[in-house]
Amino acid sequence: MAGLTAMEKKLAEYKCNTNEAIQLKLVRFPEDLEDENTTFNPEYSHQVFGDDEVAFGYKGLKILLYYIAGNLSTLFRIEYASKVNEKFDCVEADDVESKIREIIPPGFCTNTDDFVSLLEKEVNFKPFGMLLHTYSIHNEEAGEDITYQIYKADMTCPGFREYHERLQTFLMWFIETASFIDVDDERWNYFLVFEKYNKDGATLFATVGYMTVYNYYVYPDKTRPRVSQMLILPPFQGEGHGAQLLETVHRYYMSSPTVLDITAEDPSENYVKLRDFVLVKLCQDLLCFSPVKLMQGFSQEMVTEAQQKLKINKQHTRRVYEILRLRATNMGDAEQSRSYRLDVKRRLIGPYKYHRDSCGCVLFTNCC
């Protein structure tokens, strides 16, 4: 901070990193409110606080956003050690409260007692929509299998609109280019993941994550579901819920004769990896992806069968083929290794043609 005036140094002390200041919780029990182990922070806050992800005017700023684990009723409170005041000429603190109010729906609590009262009513919360899939994951810490369920919902489900308004606020903190969708458009489908847990002998449900899918029209009588948003909340990440959700959604659309194929809107690198895993799992049981067929090269049979049976488009089928062929290839065998590399190379240079000019230089022309 060399070269700064005394006042500039003083004001710099009132800058807070909003990714650190925002504290999120999914609360199941009253004691969770004081348990730091249940707290997690955003990955992003630039859509609310600007590209620098900084709030000015506070020391020790804490932006508390606590959610009841199931229905996501919200406690919102701001705490800080000190704030700039009239001693600082022409300087005002950022209106943090207004910025947060822009993204969280009304009806939130501002004091702990009201929030705990709502927590006591959580036993009445039940998942929305139609149950699609139930699965279990072993929890080493608890020493038992935990049950999870995936549901399909829409805006006709009583209470779901209000629940979704609270759920979608998490997108702003964990998806870099997130935006809220038009829930009045009936072509949206919503898929929700819940954990079943026990509290005082009763079975309750905690929100784990969700996905939104938009059904695009394809002439003349088909639809193309496109995954728009997918989020597994941080306390549940790394446990396999993303794969369970994506596979369940894929299987749901596979059963529809009107679905052409399934795509994704601007997929992240992590989503592409997840999709590769799920599609490989689905395709590996098809006869056209047997080791013998794989070693014969990519074929129209693979494209047709993957599209008709699994609603996978040609581009994704090609990725699956290369992954499965790599698994079937003995890379220690010089001939098999060379054959695989050449196969991939042909795919990479396929969109281009080249010719030589009068000087003998190779000129490439994109023919896509």
Side-chain angles (χ1 to χ4, degrees):
M1 299 178 64
L4 296 180
T5 67
M7 178 58 72
E8 287 173 332
K9 291 180 181 180
K10 187 70 174 176
L11 292 177
E13 298 175 2
Y14 286 85
K15 290 183 178 180
C16 298
N17 183 321
T18 48
N19 289 337
E20 298 174 357
I22 298 169
Q23 299 184 6
L24 305 166
K25 283 182 184 285
L26 295 170
V27 180
R28 304 186 186 195
F29 308 98
E31 50 267 32
D32 291 343
L33 292 169
E34 304 301 327
D35 185 356
E36 292 185 0
N37 292 325
T38 64
T39 302
F40 56 100
N41 303 99
E43 291 183 21
Y44 310 103
S45 56
H46 61 277
Q47 297 202 90
V48 179
F49 291 99
D51 291 342
D52 292 336
E53 297 180 322
V54 166
F56 172 75
Y58 306 87
K59 279 186 179 180
L61 177 65
K62 293 182 180 180
I63 304 169
L64 308 182
L65 283 169
Y66 296 170
Y67 296 80
I68 293 178
N71 67 23
L72 302 181
S73 295
T74 310
L75 169 67
F76 168 44
R77 196 167 68 233
I78 296 175
E79 299 176 355
Y80 50 85
S82 60
K83 181 179 179 180
V84 295
N85 53 34
E86 64 275 1
K87 295 179 181 179
F88 298 88
D89 293 335
C90 302
V91 174
E92 293 184 359
D94 291 341
D95 190 350
V96 172
E97 181 174 341
S98 293
K99 292 178 182 291
I100 297 294
R101 282 176 176 268
E102 289 178 4
I103 66 164
I104 63 173
F108 54 83
C109 299
T110 55
N111 69 76
T112 303
D113 291 340
D114 291 344
F115 186 72
V116 172
S117 295
L118 291 177
L119 184 60
E120 294 171 354
K121 301 175 183 177
E122 177 73 348
V123 68
N124 299 318
F125 172 76
K126 295 294 183 289
F128 303 94
M130 173 178 64
L131 176 62
L132 297 181
H133 179 52
T134 300
Y135 63 99
S136 297
I137 294 178
H138 185 72
N139 185 290
E140 293 289 346
E141 185 177 342
E144 61 182 4
D145 290 341
I146 297 178
T147 300
Y148 301 88
Q149 294 182 328
I150 299 176
Y151 288 77
K152 176 184 176 292
D154 57 51
M155 288 299 157
T156 64
C157 299
F160 179 67
R161 180 182 292 264
E162 293 77 16
Y163 168 86
H164 178 262
E165 287 180 349
R166 298 188 291 271
L167 176 60
Q168 69 179 353
T169 61
F170 285 100
L171 298 177
M172 291 297 167
W173 312 127
F174 297 103
I175 296 182
E176 189 172 7
T177 57
S179 60
F180 294 160
I181 63 175
D182 178 10
V183 297
D184 292 322
D185 191 330
E186 296 179 352
R187 287 175 288 186
W188 284 106
N189 286 337
Y190 308 83
F191 299 88
L192 312 163
V193 187
F194 294 96
E195 176 192 334
K196 294 178 68 175
Y197 70 99
N198 294 318
K199 180 179 179 182
D200 299 328
T203 299
L204 279 72
F205 295 86
T207 300
V208 172
Y210 83 119
M211 176 190 292
T212 58
V213 180
Y214 192 80
N215 295 292
Y216 281 90
Y217 168 72
V218 179
Y219 181 85
D221 59 354
K222 300 289 185 181
T223 59
R224 173 173 283 128
R226 177 180 292 179
V227 176
S228 174
Q229 303 158 322
M230 180 179 180
L231 176 64
I232 301 299
L233 296 174
F236 303 96
Q237 290 177 3
E239 298 178 355
H241 301 293
Q244 289 281 352
L245 176 58
L246 185 56
E247 182 176 348
T248 298
V249 171
H250 220 95
R251 290 189 182 278
Y252 170 79
Y253 287 115
M254 280 163 47
S255 63
S256 173
T258 62
V259 170
L260 181 64
D261 54 37
I262 304 166
T263 62
E265 177 185 344
D266 191 20
S268 67
E269 183 177 341
N270 286 335
Y271 178 86
V272 171
K273 292 177 181 178
L274 178 66
R275 182 176 62 194
D276 286 344
F277 171 81
V278 170
L279 297 189
V280 165
K281 180 182 177 183
L282 293 172
C283 286
Q284 64 183 352
D285 294 328
L286 296 179
L287 291 177
C288 62
F289 286 95
S290 66
V292 173
K293 293 287 185 71
L294 288 167
M295 300 309 286
Q296 294 173 0
F298 188 58
S299 67
Q300 183 59 41
E301 180 188 9
M302 295 175 181
V303 175
T304 302
E305 196 165 352
Q307 192 277 320
Q308 292 180 350
K309 293 184 178 180
L310 304 177
K311 311 299 183 182
I312 302 174
N313 64 32
K314 182 176 180 179
Q315 179 184 2
H316 298 162
T317 301
R318 174 72 197 205
R319 287 179 64 90
V320 169
Y321 156 75
E322 290 186 4
I323 293 169
L324 288 175
R325 178 163 178 183
L326 178 60
R327 186 177 70 174
T329 298
N330 178 6
M331 296 303 287
D333 183 293
E335 183 58 35
Q336 288 191 30
S337 175
R338 179 176 181 276
S339 177
Y340 179 77
R341 294 198 310 271
L342 289 176
D343 192 46
V344 174
K345 183 178 180 180
R346 282 192 292 269
R347 189 258 302 168
L348 293 173
I349 67 174
Y352 298 90
K353 291 182 178 179
Y354 67 88
H355 63 274
R356 297 183 182 274
D357 64 9
S358 57
C359 297
C361 297
V362 176
L363 302 179
F364 286 88
T365 302
N366 191 339
C367 59
C368 289

